[in-house]
Amino acid sequence: MTVRSISILGATGSIGTSTLDLLEREPDRFQVAALTAQRDVDGLAQAARRTRAKLAVIGDASLYGPLKQALAGTETLVAAGEAAIVDAAALGADWTMAAIVGIAGLKPAMTALNNGGTVALANKESLVSAGTLMTGAAKANGATLLPVDSEHNAVFQCFDHAAPGSIRKVTLTASGGPFRDWSIDAMRAATPAQAVKHPTWSMGAKISVDSATLMNKGLELIEAYHLFPLPPEAFDAIIHPQSVVHALVDYIDGSVLAQLGTPDMRTPIAHCLAWPARMATPCRTLDLAAIGRLDFMAPDPERFPALGLARAVLAAGGARPAILNGANEVAVAAFLAGRIGFLDIALIVQKVLDRYDPAAPASLDDVFAIDAEARRAAQAAMEIITA
Ligand code: NDP
Ligand code: MG
């Protein structure tokens, strides 16, 4: 059996710990090259000790000392700072999990793609903001880009990659989030604690808020467009509260292929880890008789305007997706900090999109410049709202 070297960017997060859980069940198959985190010294040091990682990197440079101390007596090398995370991504591991949250994950994910190998991508914000550049880098460097996001992993499993012309539509499902059945007045008063309480999936705070606004599904439509060769209008979203069917692929003959499973991210992660083979996971077996029924409904555009914004952004392309993402990251952080209301998130994103319309990015530097300007515009829009 060949042992594969594995790096996890964002090892202490929800996706990172699920990935570690799978690796640690089969220690003979995998060797850990690098693990990274931003501030969670304890989580990173414990994971590095357990897996005997060759390198552990903490993004916050002021935490170098504490990490060094926590890993004293081990053979794990220690580094710190933003550039050190990029260096870790350049080590050339056979398989890299890109699971940093937000645009902060873009440079490390691009670096991993530029180094070839297989990149399992959870960090959807990078693909949304720089999709063409990332898929171009994968192609140019012979890297394999595998989708971790459960819906995209489901599409990947159902999609006839040899005959994309035989596919007419791809539908991603959304649970509808914690506010699926709430009135608009109740949503206006929703708290961060209520927004992060996802009904079916257990995830990090940022993506949980995105799921509550349905911006997550909007980002995912854009993500899907970059992963599967179909026109923007071929991608659609539907509400499915049970999160059992993850995506559907419609063929021209009327056949619809779907992937089903218990909502547990370890299934799509395992699919990427073992691909093109399969590996066993501890995920609960899907018991449809116990579940009893599966419901589907159209999303409500009035209460969830973020999805409509993202659809328009997907159709327009260019710099619009990077603006959408940058403004949304700022608005979500402000909501989580208690500075704005829940409905203000989509409002701020809309205001930024209305006011800022630069040319399409041609380089990573362009993407970062567009992102920075979108963030400034979002801050300005927020000051008006909170004045
Ligand atoms: P978490 O917030 O749980 O974890 C984020 C990880 O990134 C942590 O390891 C964190 O380190 C690290 N990190 C945070 N900020 C920075 C930064 N500025 N620079 C470098 N590293 C940083 O997020 P999730 O695991 O939920 O999500 C990760 C990505 O995967 C997101 O893009 C999300 O959209 C996507 N995704 C997640 C799913 C899920 O089920 N959770 C499902 C599908 C996609 P520290 O712990 O030290 O802060
Ligand atoms: Mg998803």
Side-chain angles (χ1 to χ4, degrees), residues 320-359:
R320 312 296 283 159
I323 298 170
L324 175 90
N325 181 69
N328 182 60
E329 284 193 31
V330 168
V332 169
F335 170 70
L336 284 170
R339 290 179 53 208
I340 59 170
F342 180 75
L343 297 180
D344 293 334
I345 299 173
L347 201 64
I348 286 164
V349 174
Q350 163 137 46
K351 282 191 188 304
V352 176
L353 284 167
D354 286 348
R355 280 180 206 162
Y356 181 47
D357 193 14

mmCIF file of all heavy atoms in Angstrom, residues 320-359:
data_model
loop_
_atom_site.group_PDB
_atom_site.id
_atom_site.type_symbol
_atom_site.label_atom_id
_atom_site.label_comp_id
_atom_site.label_asym_id
_atom_site.label_seq_id
_atom_site.Cartn_x
_atom_site.Cartn_y
_atom_site.Cartn_z
ATOM 1 N N ARG A 320 -18.032 40.552 -10.427
ATOM 2 C CA ARG A 320 -19.198 40.528 -9.525
ATOM 3 C C ARG A 320 -19.093 39.462 -8.412
ATOM 4 O O ARG A 320 -19.403 39.767 -7.260
ATOM 5 C CB ARG A 320 -20.516 40.323 -10.304
ATOM 6 C CG ARG A 320 -20.723 41.211 -11.528
ATOM 7 C CD ARG A 320 -20.818 42.693 -11.223
ATOM 8 N NE ARG A 320 -22.103 43.076 -10.685
ATOM 9 C CZ ARG A 320 -22.291 44.202 -9.985
ATOM 10 N NH1 ARG A 320 -21.283 45.009 -9.747
ATOM 11 N NH2 ARG A 320 -23.486 44.507 -9.539
ATOM 12 N N PRO A 321 -18.669 38.231 -8.729
ATOM 13 C CA PRO A 321 -18.607 37.239 -7.646
ATOM 14 C C PRO A 321 -17.643 37.620 -6.522
ATOM 15 O O PRO A 321 -17.942 37.403 -5.352
ATOM 16 C CB PRO A 321 -18.145 35.964 -8.369
ATOM 17 C CG PRO A 321 -18.571 36.162 -9.791
ATOM 18 C CD PRO A 321 -18.412 37.626 -10.054
ATOM 19 N N ALA A 322 -16.489 38.217 -6.872
ATOM 20 C CA ALA A 322 -15.527 38.612 -5.831
ATOM 21 C C ALA A 322 -16.104 39.735 -4.970
ATOM 22 O O ALA A 322 -15.863 39.789 -3.761
ATOM 23 C CB ALA A 322 -14.204 39.052 -6.468
ATOM 24 N N ILE A 323 -16.880 40.622 -5.585
ATOM 25 C CA ILE A 323 -17.520 41.715 -4.829
ATOM 26 C C ILE A 323 -18.563 41.130 -3.878
ATOM 27 O O ILE A 323 -18.620 41.467 -2.692
ATOM 28 C CB ILE A 323 -18.187 42.724 -5.786
ATOM 29 C CG1 ILE A 323 -17.137 43.366 -6.697
ATOM 30 C CG2 ILE A 323 -18.949 43.804 -5.010
ATOM 31 C CD1 ILE A 323 -17.723 44.185 -7.830
ATOM 32 N N LEU A 324 -19.384 40.256 -4.413
ATOM 33 C CA LEU A 324 -20.422 39.592 -3.601
ATOM 34 C C LEU A 324 -19.789 38.941 -2.380
ATOM 35 O O LEU A 324 -20.236 39.121 -1.243
ATOM 36 C CB LEU A 324 -21.139 38.534 -4.454
ATOM 37 C CG LEU A 324 -22.173 37.663 -3.761
ATOM 38 C CD1 LEU A 324 -23.557 38.309 -3.834
ATOM 39 C CD2 LEU A 324 -22.259 36.274 -4.394
ATOM 40 N N ASN A 325 -18.715 38.189 -2.622
ATOM 41 C CA ASN A 325 -18.079 37.454 -1.529
ATOM 42 C C ASN A 325 -17.449 38.383 -0.500
ATOM 43 O O ASN A 325 -17.644 38.197 0.705
ATOM 44 C CB ASN A 325 -17.027 36.485 -2.072
ATOM 45 C CG ASN A 325 -16.382 35.707 -0.956
ATOM 46 O OD1 ASN A 325 -17.012 34.867 -0.325
ATOM 47 N ND2 ASN A 325 -15.137 36.031 -0.651
ATOM 48 N N GLY A 326 -16.702 39.394 -0.965
ATOM 49 C CA GLY A 326 -16.025 40.303 -0.033
ATOM 50 C C GLY A 326 -17.020 41.055 0.832
ATOM 51 O O GLY A 326 -16.865 41.145 2.056
ATOM 52 N N ALA A 327 -18.067 41.585 0.200
ATOM 53 C CA ALA A 327 -19.084 42.339 0.945
ATOM 54 C C ALA A 327 -19.792 41.418 1.941
ATOM 55 O O ALA A 327 -20.062 41.801 3.088
ATOM 56 C CB ALA A 327 -20.090 42.958 -0.022
ATOM 57 N N ASN A 328 -20.065 40.196 1.517
ATOM 58 C CA ASN A 328 -20.755 39.245 2.406
ATOM 59 C C ASN A 328 -19.899 38.884 3.608
ATOM 60 O O ASN A 328 -20.390 38.805 4.737
ATOM 61 C CB ASN A 328 -21.137 37.980 1.617
ATOM 62 C CG ASN A 328 -21.885 36.982 2.472
ATOM 63 O OD1 ASN A 328 -22.950 37.282 3.006
ATOM 64 N ND2 ASN A 328 -21.322 35.798 2.635
ATOM 65 N N GLU A 329 -18.591 38.684 3.399
ATOM 66 C CA GLU A 329 -17.723 38.342 4.535
ATOM 67 C C GLU A 329 -17.744 39.449 5.590
ATOM 68 O O GLU A 329 -17.807 39.177 6.791
ATOM 69 C CB GLU A 329 -16.285 38.084 4.061
ATOM 70 C CG GLU A 329 -16.131 36.726 3.385
ATOM 71 C CD GLU A 329 -14.673 36.310 3.202
ATOM 72 O OE1 GLU A 329 -13.823 36.685 4.033
ATOM 73 O OE2 GLU A 329 -14.397 35.595 2.225
ATOM 74 N N VAL A 330 -17.702 40.701 5.136
ATOM 75 C CA VAL A 330 -17.734 41.836 6.066
ATOM 76 C C VAL A 330 -19.078 41.887 6.793
ATOM 77 O O VAL A 330 -19.140 42.062 8.015
ATOM 78 C CB VAL A 330 -17.473 43.158 5.312
ATOM 79 C CG1 VAL A 330 -17.782 44.364 6.196
ATOM 80 C CG2 VAL A 330 -16.032 43.213 4.831
ATOM 81 N N ALA A 331 -20.156 41.720 6.044
ATOM 82 C CA ALA A 331 -21.494 41.814 6.645
ATOM 83 C C ALA A 331 -21.736 40.675 7.639
ATOM 84 O O ALA A 331 -22.303 40.900 8.717
ATOM 85 C CB ALA A 331 -22.555 41.817 5.546
ATOM 86 N N VAL A 332 -21.290 39.473 7.307
ATOM 87 C CA VAL A 332 -21.489 38.338 8.220
ATOM 88 C C VAL A 332 -20.692 38.555 9.511
ATOM 89 O O VAL A 332 -21.207 38.318 10.612
ATOM 90 C CB VAL A 332 -21.090 36.998 7.545
ATOM 91 C CG1 VAL A 332 -21.047 35.862 8.561
ATOM 92 C CG2 VAL A 332 -22.065 36.664 6.421
ATOM 93 N N ALA A 333 -19.455 39.039 9.373
ATOM 94 C CA ALA A 333 -18.638 39.302 10.573
ATOM 95 C C ALA A 333 -19.314 40.360 11.447
ATOM 96 O O ALA A 333 -19.338 40.239 12.674
ATOM 97 C CB ALA A 333 -17.235 39.749 10.163
ATOM 98 N N ALA A 334 -19.889 41.386 10.812
ATOM 99 C CA ALA A 334 -20.556 42.451 11.575
ATOM 100 C C ALA A 334 -21.808 41.913 12.266
ATOM 101 O O ALA A 334 -22.104 42.272 13.411
ATOM 102 C CB ALA A 334 -20.917 43.609 10.647
ATOM 103 N N PHE A 335 -22.532 41.035 11.577
ATOM 104 C CA PHE A 335 -23.723 40.422 12.202
ATOM 105 C C PHE A 335 -23.311 39.560 13.399
ATOM 106 O O PHE A 335 -23.906 39.653 14.479
ATOM 107 C CB PHE A 335 -24.495 39.587 11.175
ATOM 108 C CG PHE A 335 -25.572 38.745 11.793
ATOM 109 C CD1 PHE A 335 -26.724 39.328 12.327
ATOM 110 C CD2 PHE A 335 -25.424 37.360 11.898
ATOM 111 C CE1 PHE A 335 -27.710 38.557 12.937
ATOM 112 C CE2 PHE A 335 -26.406 36.583 12.504
ATOM 113 C CZ PHE A 335 -27.547 37.187 13.017
ATOM 114 N N LEU A 336 -22.268 38.758 13.222
ATOM 115 C CA LEU A 336 -21.819 37.892 14.321
ATOM 116 C C LEU A 336 -21.319 38.722 15.506
ATOM 117 O O LEU A 336 -21.430 38.297 16.653
ATOM 118 C CB LEU A 336 -20.705 36.941 13.839
ATOM 119 C CG LEU A 336 -21.175 35.750 12.994
ATOM 120 C CD1 LEU A 336 -19.981 35.025 12.363
ATOM 121 C CD2 LEU A 336 -22.001 34.764 13.828
ATOM 122 N N ALA A 337 -20.809 39.927 15.222
ATOM 123 C CA ALA A 337 -20.327 40.816 16.291
ATOM 124 C C ALA A 337 -21.457 41.646 16.899
ATOM 125 O O ALA A 337 -21.215 42.475 17.775
ATOM 126 C CB ALA A 337 -19.237 41.736 15.742
ATOM 127 N N GLY A 338 -22.680 41.448 16.412
ATOM 128 C CA GLY A 338 -23.823 42.159 16.983
ATOM 129 C C GLY A 338 -23.964 43.584 16.487
ATOM 130 O O GLY A 338 -24.712 44.379 17.061
ATOM 131 N N ARG A 339 -23.244 43.928 15.398
ATOM 132 C CA ARG A 339 -23.276 45.325 14.932
ATOM 133 C C ARG A 339 -24.428 45.613 13.980
ATOM 134 O O ARG A 339 -24.847 46.765 13.851
ATOM 135 C CB ARG A 339 -21.942 45.682 14.259
ATOM 136 C CG ARG A 339 -20.789 45.783 15.245
ATOM 137 C CD ARG A 339 -19.480 46.105 14.542
ATOM 138 N NE ARG A 339 -19.586 47.279 13.697
ATOM 139 C CZ ARG A 339 -18.851 47.483 12.605
ATOM 140 N NH1 ARG A 339 -17.969 46.590 12.237
ATOM 141 N NH2 ARG A 339 -19.004 48.578 11.897
ATOM 142 N N ILE A 340 -24.910 44.617 13.246
ATOM 143 C CA ILE A 340 -26.030 44.826 12.314
ATOM 144 C C ILE A 340 -27.054 43.712 12.500
ATOM 145 O O ILE A 340 -26.761 42.676 13.113
ATOM 146 C CB ILE A 340 -25.561 44.845 10.830
ATOM 147 C CG1 ILE A 340 -24.870 43.521 10.464
ATOM 148 C CG2 ILE A 340 -24.622 46.034 10.563
ATOM 149 C CD1 ILE A 340 -24.598 43.363 8.971
ATOM 150 N N GLY A 341 -28.249 43.936 11.946
ATOM 151 C CA GLY A 341 -29.295 42.930 12.035
ATOM 152 C C GLY A 341 -29.135 41.871 10.954
ATOM 153 O O GLY A 341 -28.368 42.037 9.995
ATOM 154 N N PHE A 342 -29.890 40.781 11.092
ATOM 155 C CA PHE A 342 -29.774 39.662 10.155
ATOM 156 C C PHE A 342 -30.139 40.075 8.727
ATOM 157 O O PHE A 342 -29.437 39.735 7.769
ATOM 158 C CB PHE A 342 -30.672 38.513 10.633
ATOM 159 C CG PHE A 342 -30.605 37.321 9.736
ATOM 160 C CD1 PHE A 342 -29.494 36.484 9.757
ATOM 161 C CD2 PHE A 342 -31.641 37.024 8.860
ATOM 162 C CE1 PHE A 342 -29.411 35.385 8.915
ATOM 163 C CE2 PHE A 342 -31.573 35.926 8.017
ATOM 164 C CZ PHE A 342 -30.468 35.107 8.047
ATOM 165 N N LEU A 343 -31.220 40.844 8.575
ATOM 166 C CA LEU A 343 -31.651 41.229 7.221
ATOM 167 C C LEU A 343 -30.715 42.258 6.587
ATOM 168 O O LEU A 343 -30.746 42.476 5.372
ATOM 169 C CB LEU A 343 -33.088 41.762 7.242
ATOM 170 C CG LEU A 343 -34.160 40.758 7.673
ATOM 171 C CD1 LEU A 343 -35.539 41.420 7.639
ATOM 172 C CD2 LEU A 343 -34.165 39.514 6.783
ATOM 173 N N ASP A 344 -29.880 42.901 7.418
ATOM 174 C CA ASP A 344 -28.932 43.888 6.885
ATOM 175 C C ASP A 344 -27.835 43.220 6.047
ATOM 176 O O ASP A 344 -27.186 43.880 5.232
ATOM 177 C CB ASP A 344 -28.271 44.681 8.027
ATOM 178 C CG ASP A 344 -29.275 45.567 8.756
ATOM 179 O OD1 ASP A 344 -30.277 45.952 8.119
ATOM 180 O OD2 ASP A 344 -29.057 45.851 9.945
ATOM 181 N N ILE A 345 -27.606 41.941 6.268
ATOM 182 C CA ILE A 345 -26.504 41.272 5.557
ATOM 183 C C ILE A 345 -26.717 41.379 4.045
ATOM 184 O O ILE A 345 -25.863 41.904 3.320
ATOM 185 C CB ILE A 345 -26.375 39.784 5.990
ATOM 186 C CG1 ILE A 345 -26.071 39.676 7.493
ATOM 187 C CG2 ILE A 345 -25.282 39.098 5.169
ATOM 188 C CD1 ILE A 345 -26.097 38.249 8.041
ATOM 189 N N ALA A 346 -27.865 40.920 3.566
ATOM 190 C CA ALA A 346 -28.123 40.966 2.115
ATOM 191 C C ALA A 346 -28.245 42.404 1.620
ATOM 192 O O ALA A 346 -27.852 42.715 0.487
ATOM 193 C CB ALA A 346 -29.388 40.169 1.787
ATOM 194 N N LEU A 347 -28.773 43.267 2.492
ATOM 195 C CA LEU A 347 -28.936 44.684 2.122
ATOM 196 C C LEU A 347 -27.573 45.331 1.842
ATOM 197 O O LEU A 347 -27.399 46.053 0.847
ATOM 198 C CB LEU A 347 -29.630 45.401 3.288
ATOM 199 C CG LEU A 347 -30.330 46.705 2.978
ATOM 200 C CD1 LEU A 347 -31.477 46.467 2.018
ATOM 201 C CD2 LEU A 347 -30.836 47.349 4.277
ATOM 202 N N ILE A 348 -26.614 45.054 2.695
ATOM 203 C CA ILE A 348 -25.270 45.616 2.521
ATOM 204 C C ILE A 348 -24.627 45.071 1.243
ATOM 205 O O ILE A 348 -24.049 45.811 0.446
ATOM 206 C CB ILE A 348 -24.406 45.322 3.768
ATOM 207 C CG1 ILE A 348 -24.866 46.228 4.914
ATOM 208 C CG2 ILE A 348 -22.926 45.517 3.484
ATOM 209 C CD1 ILE A 348 -24.403 45.808 6.270
ATOM 210 N N VAL A 349 -24.769 43.772 1.031
ATOM 211 C CA VAL A 349 -24.186 43.162 -0.178
ATOM 212 C C VAL A 349 -24.802 43.816 -1.417
ATOM 213 O O VAL A 349 -24.105 44.181 -2.368
ATOM 214 C CB VAL A 349 -24.408 41.636 -0.180
ATOM 215 C CG1 VAL A 349 -23.944 41.032 -1.498
ATOM 216 C CG2 VAL A 349 -23.683 40.983 0.994
ATOM 217 N N GLN A 350 -26.115 44.006 -1.381
ATOM 218 C CA GLN A 350 -26.802 44.632 -2.521
ATOM 219 C C GLN A 350 -26.277 46.053 -2.765
ATOM 220 O O GLN A 350 -26.004 46.437 -3.904
ATOM 221 C CB GLN A 350 -28.294 44.665 -2.253
ATOM 222 C CG GLN A 350 -29.041 45.643 -3.152
ATOM 223 C CD GLN A 350 -30.316 45.057 -3.682
ATOM 224 O OE1 GLN A 350 -31.085 44.464 -2.914
ATOM 225 N NE2 GLN A 350 -30.535 45.207 -4.958
ATOM 226 N N LYS A 351 -26.121 46.824 -1.694
ATOM 227 C CA LYS A 351 -25.636 48.215 -1.838
ATOM 228 C C LYS A 351 -24.245 48.243 -2.457
ATOM 229 O O LYS A 351 -23.947 49.077 -3.314
ATOM 230 C CB LYS A 351 -25.636 48.915 -0.466
ATOM 231 C CG LYS A 351 -27.026 49.359 -0.033
ATOM 232 C CD LYS A 351 -26.970 50.262 1.174
ATOM 233 C CE LYS A 351 -28.361 50.541 1.730
ATOM 234 N NZ LYS A 351 -29.283 51.111 0.736
ATOM 235 N N VAL A 352 -23.385 47.338 -2.027
ATOM 236 C CA VAL A 352 -22.027 47.315 -2.577
ATOM 237 C C VAL A 352 -22.067 46.931 -4.057
ATOM 238 O O VAL A 352 -21.398 47.550 -4.889
ATOM 239 C CB VAL A 352 -21.134 46.348 -1.772
ATOM 240 C CG1 VAL A 352 -19.750 46.248 -2.403
ATOM 241 C CG2 VAL A 352 -21.017 46.812 -0.326
ATOM 242 N N LEU A 353 -22.883 45.944 -4.399
ATOM 243 C CA LEU A 353 -22.997 45.528 -5.812
ATOM 244 C C LEU A 353 -23.541 46.664 -6.673
ATOM 245 O O LEU A 353 -23.150 46.835 -7.825
ATOM 246 C CB LEU A 353 -23.909 44.299 -5.930
ATOM 247 C CG LEU A 353 -23.300 42.960 -5.498
ATOM 248 C CD1 LEU A 353 -24.383 41.900 -5.354
ATOM 249 C CD2 LEU A 353 -22.232 42.501 -6.490
ATOM 250 N N ASP A 354 -24.455 47.453 -6.100
ATOM 251 C CA ASP A 354 -25.046 48.568 -6.854
ATOM 252 C C ASP A 354 -24.018 49.658 -7.170
ATOM 253 O O ASP A 354 -24.137 50.362 -8.166
ATOM 254 C CB ASP A 354 -26.191 49.216 -6.048
ATOM 255 C CG ASP A 354 -27.426 48.334 -6.044
ATOM 256 O OD1 ASP A 354 -27.460 47.362 -6.835
ATOM 257 O OD2 ASP A 354 -28.347 48.603 -5.248
ATOM 258 N N ARG A 355 -23.037 49.816 -6.279
ATOM 259 C CA ARG A 355 -22.145 50.971 -6.383
ATOM 260 C C ARG A 355 -20.794 50.675 -7.007
ATOM 261 O O ARG A 355 -20.072 51.599 -7.365
ATOM 262 C CB ARG A 355 -21.885 51.530 -4.980
ATOM 263 C CG ARG A 355 -23.033 52.371 -4.528
ATOM 264 C CD ARG A 355 -22.792 52.919 -3.152
ATOM 265 N NE ARG A 355 -24.077 53.173 -2.523
ATOM 266 C CZ ARG A 355 -24.238 53.319 -1.234
ATOM 267 N NH1 ARG A 355 -23.226 53.220 -0.441
ATOM 268 N NH2 ARG A 355 -25.441 53.560 -0.751
ATOM 269 N N TYR A 356 -20.423 49.430 -7.080
ATOM 270 C CA TYR A 356 -19.048 49.104 -7.463
ATOM 271 C C TYR A 356 -19.063 48.079 -8.578
ATOM 272 O O TYR A 356 -19.612 46.986 -8.409
ATOM 273 C CB TYR A 356 -18.321 48.578 -6.204
ATOM 274 C CG TYR A 356 -16.877 48.212 -6.406
ATOM 275 C CD1 TYR A 356 -16.004 49.060 -7.072
ATOM 276 C CD2 TYR A 356 -16.375 47.010 -5.907
ATOM 277 C CE1 TYR A 356 -14.675 48.719 -7.246
ATOM 278 C CE2 TYR A 356 -15.051 46.662 -6.058
ATOM 279 C CZ TYR A 356 -14.204 47.515 -6.737
ATOM 280 O OH TYR A 356 -12.895 47.170 -6.903
ATOM 281 N N ASP A 357 -18.474 48.431 -9.741
ATOM 282 C CA ASP A 357 -18.537 47.516 -10.890
ATOM 283 C C ASP A 357 -17.263 47.585 -11.735
ATOM 284 O O ASP A 357 -17.264 48.110 -12.842
ATOM 285 C CB ASP A 357 -19.766 47.865 -11.753
ATOM 286 C CG ASP A 357 -20.067 46.766 -12.762
ATOM 287 O OD1 ASP A 357 -19.519 45.652 -12.610
ATOM 288 O OD2 ASP A 357 -20.828 47.026 -13.703
ATOM 289 N N PRO A 358 -16.153 47.062 -11.214
ATOM 290 C CA PRO A 358 -14.879 47.126 -11.946
ATOM 291 C C PRO A 358 -14.788 46.035 -13.023
ATOM 292 O O PRO A 358 -15.687 45.200 -13.145
ATOM 293 C CB PRO A 358 -13.860 46.872 -10.841
ATOM 294 C CG PRO A 358 -14.587 45.960 -9.891
ATOM 295 C CD PRO A 358 -16.033 46.326 -9.955
ATOM 296 N N ALA A 359 -13.674 46.049 -13.766
ATOM 297 C CA ALA A 359 -13.450 45.038 -14.809
ATOM 298 C C ALA A 359 -13.139 43.679 -14.177
ATOM 299 O O ALA A 359 -12.755 43.604 -13.004
ATOM 300 C CB ALA A 359 -12.285 45.483 -15.690
#
